[in-house]
């Protein structure tokens, strides 16, 4: 008795586990297949509603063909044969929007038709349990179901279809019939695998497109942050310079006054102390920015310039143009208006805009000629960089996309305006207005329609160069871009 009791308890536990496992399977099947959930087939990208039309035409063929087969070969009444065929055809159309209920409808129509044929069976030979038209209808339903629902649900529907086929043909059976069970199961397996593969391919493409979009957004965000960091590093240098000047002036000021009062000395000492503290904090922040991108401001290889060299101003624009000319680009530099002292940020931004625009001409418009024109206005500075039509196609660029983005960031920082557009002759122009007194200064308007500074050969800065367009030059590489052909980091 002592040996039988453990075996009995073990058997009870095993039976309880089996019941729990069977209950979980039934709950999964109930959740997956006992639903009226809509999973509509979306219109095709290229053919729009063509797949829906094909399914509807196939459903019409199933309706006519199944009605004729059940009436002529299986000897069913025409009305009853039509109802069974209508169920199979309706399941095909319903599968375009609700594939799981359509599978139930197709299965029910097949089972009802199989029993009706079995009850009406005589000595003639008939196809059973699947008619040819009913088999086609169920294949369409399984294919549409596998395209729209999860793989597990499609496999469950296929398994139940195979089980029903086995019960009808293998366990119930009929007399003098042509079996279609094995053929039906094989065809069902093919269409379910095909639907699963197509659905997996579509999901993979969707995920790839989403990942590509996220990657592009992340790249754009990173590019923007890097460019803002680079601008911040340059402006920190400018601010640090002015804070150093304030500190020195506050220290020297008492020496310029004979017998300065103690209050003046205390105030100047406080100004110097605050300037030194601000300068210390600026250097700390600048050190963090430089440490994050240690090579961002390093001098070119072989140069003696230090990474912390003073930031350039418009006084160094001639040297920049000479370097660009040495690289093979013909550049003319001129200015108009009365030059006035400009804030350091404006001079630095103007220099960088000219530098990046000329670098873009070198990279994206080989063989072109460029013109830099500065217009000094009472309210700000206008910078124009134009180039003629390129003579040959540019080489593929490997930059990081900082060129035009950096220009826009610098102009936005100063509350200015920037335009970048193709010229009528096939060239390109970048024009920026940098105000000197903040956002309340009205920006100098740019002409609504861009004018080509090289269109008139009498006023062109390059009398020896051909005017645009060049007859043997390729098509404008910027013609298909809206207003931003320069998307690479072309800062020398």
């Amino acid at each position: 008795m002592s040996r039988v009791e453990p075996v009995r308890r073990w058997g009870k536990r095993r039976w309880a586990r089996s019941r729990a496992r069977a209950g979980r399977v039934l709950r999964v099947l109930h959740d997956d297949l006992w639903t009226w959930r809509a999973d509509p087939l979306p219109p095709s990208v290229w053919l729009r509603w063509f797949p829906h039309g094909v399914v509807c035409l196939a459903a019409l063929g199933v309706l006519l063909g199944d009605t004729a087969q059940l009436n002529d070969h299986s000897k069913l009444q025409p009305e009853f044969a039509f109802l069974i065929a209508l169920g199979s055809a309706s399941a095909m159309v319903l599968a375009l929007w609700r594939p799981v209920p359509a599978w139930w409808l197709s299965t029910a129509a097949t089972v009802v038709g199989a029993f009706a044929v079995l009850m009406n069976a005589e000595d003639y030979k008939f196809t059973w349990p699947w008619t040819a038209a009913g088999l086609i209808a169920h294949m369409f339903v399984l294919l549409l179901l596998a395209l729209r629902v999860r793989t597990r649900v499609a496999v469950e529907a296929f398994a139940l279809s195979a089980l029903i086929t086995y019960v009808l043909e293998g366990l119930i059976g009929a007399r003098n019939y042509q079996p279609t069970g094995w053929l039906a199961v094989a065809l069902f397996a093919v269409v379910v695998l095909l639907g699963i593969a197509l659905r997996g391919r579509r999901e993979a493409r969707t995920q790839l497109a989403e990942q590509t979009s996220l990657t592009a957004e992340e790249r754009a965000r990173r590019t923007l942050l890097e460019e803002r960091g680079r601008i911040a590093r340059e402006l920190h240098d400018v601010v640090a310079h002015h804070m150093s000047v304030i500190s020195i002036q506050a220290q020297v000021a008492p020496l310029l006054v004979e017998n300065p009062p103690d209050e003046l000395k205390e105030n100047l000492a406080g100004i110097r102390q605050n300037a030194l503290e601000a300068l210390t904090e600026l250097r700390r922040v600048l050190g963090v920015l430089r440490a994050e991108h240690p090579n961002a401001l390093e001098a070119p290889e072989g140069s003696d310039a230090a990474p912390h060299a003073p930031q350039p101003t418009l006084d160094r624009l001639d040297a920049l143009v000479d370097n660009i000319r040495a690289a093979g680009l013909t550049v003319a530099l001129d200015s108009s208006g009365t030059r006035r002292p400009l804030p350091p940020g404006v001079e630095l931004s103007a220099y960088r805009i000219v530098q990046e625009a000329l670098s873009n001409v070198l990279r994206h418009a080989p063989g072109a000629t460029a013109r830099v024109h500065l217009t000094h206005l009472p309210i700000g500075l206008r910078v124009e960089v134009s180039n003629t039509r390129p003579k040959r196609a540019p080489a593929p660029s490997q930059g990081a996309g900082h060129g035009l983005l950096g220009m826009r960031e610098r102009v936005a920082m100063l509350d200015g305006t920037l335009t970048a557009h193709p010229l009528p002759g096939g060239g390109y122009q970048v024009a920026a207005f940098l105000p000197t007194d903040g956002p309340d200064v009205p920006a100098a308007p740019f002409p609504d329609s861009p004018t080509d500074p090289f269109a008139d050969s009498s006023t062109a800065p390059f009398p020896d160069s051909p005017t645009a367009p060049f007859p043997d030059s390729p098509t404008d590489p910027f013609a298909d871009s809206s207003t931003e052909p320069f998307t690479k980091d072309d800062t020398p």
Side-chain angles (χ1 to χ4, degrees), residues 8 142 155 161 163 198 269 390 414 449-450 484 487:
R8 184 178 301 171
L142 285 176
V155 172
S161 297
L163 178 62
L198 293 176
L414 298 172
S449 59
E484 302 185 5
T487 59

Side-chain angles (χ1 to χ4, degrees), residues 147-457:
L147 287 173
R148 301 307 305 159
V149 301
R150 292 175 297 173
T151 301
R152 186 182 69 185
V153 179
V155 172
E156 291 169 354
F158 163 72
L160 289 180
S161 297
L163 178 62
I164 292 172
T165 301
Y166 168 74
V167 171
L168 289 176
E169 183 176 322
L171 299 183
I172 298 178
R175 294 184 300 105
N176 195 26
Y177 69 96
Q178 181 180 352
T180 56
W182 287 107
L183 176 63
V185 172
L187 293 177
F188 294 162
V190 170
V191 297
V192 168
L193 289 176
L194 178 62
I196 291 174
L198 293 176
R199 182 174 182 269
R201 178 175 176 268
R202 184 183 67 248
E203 290 181 348
R205 293 179 62 182
T206 302
Q207 293 176 359
L208 179 61
E210 293 177 354
Q211 186 63 35
T212 302
S213 177
L214 292 176
T215 302
E217 292 176 1
E218 179 63 24
R219 186 185 300 114
R221 188 183 68 86
R222 186 174 64 250
T223 299
L224 180 63
L225 293 178
E226 290 176 356
E227 186 63 22
R228 288 180 176 177
R230 187 166 70 95
I231 296 173
R233 287 191 295 271
E234 296 177 353
L235 291 180
H236 272 89
D237 290 347
V238 175
V239 176
H241 167 72
H242 285 278
M243 295 304 296
S244 299
V245 172
I246 292 174
S247 175
I248 295 173
Q249 289 177 341
Q251 185 178 10
V252 174
L255 303 178
L256 302 178
V257 180
E258 184 177 358
N259 299 322
D262 294 337
E263 292 82 0
L264 177 61
K265 291 182 179 180
E266 292 178 1
N267 288 334
L268 291 176
I271 292 174
R272 181 174 183 274
Q273 182 63 30
N274 290 332
L276 290 176
E277 292 179 358
L279 183 60
T280 301
E281 295 299 327
L282 282 173
R283 284 173 177 170
R284 289 176 181 173
V285 175
L286 181 59
V288 172
L289 291 174
R290 291 187 189 278
E292 184 178 356
H293 302 283
N295 298 322
L297 293 177
E298 288 184 357
E301 185 177 357
S303 173
D304 296 332
H308 297 269
Q311 296 300 333
T313 62
L314 292 179
D315 294 333
R316 296 174 55 184
L317 203 57
D318 291 331
L320 171 65
V321 172
D322 291 339
N323 290 335
I324 296 295
R325 288 169 180 164
L329 178 64
T330 303
V331 185
L333 174 63
D334 59 353
S335 62
S336 60
T338 303
R339 181 170 181 177
R340 298 175 177 83
L342 297 173
V346 173
E347 292 215 9
L348 174 60
S349 296
Y351 180 91
R352 292 303 188 193
I353 288 173
V354 173
Q355 184 184 43
E356 293 176 357
L358 291 179
S359 299
N360 283 327
V361 175
L362 271 176
R363 186 181 297 270
H364 298 288
T369 54
R371 177 193 178 191
V372 179
H373 183 75
L374 303 180
T375 304
H376 296 273
L377 303 170
I379 58 175
L381 176 67
R382 180 172 174 176
V383 181
E384 296 180 5
V385 182
S386 308
N387 66 274
T388 60
R389 187 185 185 94
K391 291 185 177 181
R392 55 186 181 274
S397 178
Q398 302 298 327
H402 290 194
L404 194 61
L405 176 61
M407 301 182 204
R408 294 196 183 280
E409 285 294 309
R410 293 179 187 278
V411 171
M413 176 186 64
L414 298 172
D415 296 298
T417 56
L418 176 75
T419 60
H421 48 70
L423 295 173
Y428 208 84
Q429 182 183 71
V430 175
F433 174 73
L434 307 176
T436 56
D437 295 328
D440 294 332
V441 175
F446 293 113
D448 296 334
S449 59
T451 58
D452 190 348
F454 309 117
D456 187 1
S457 60

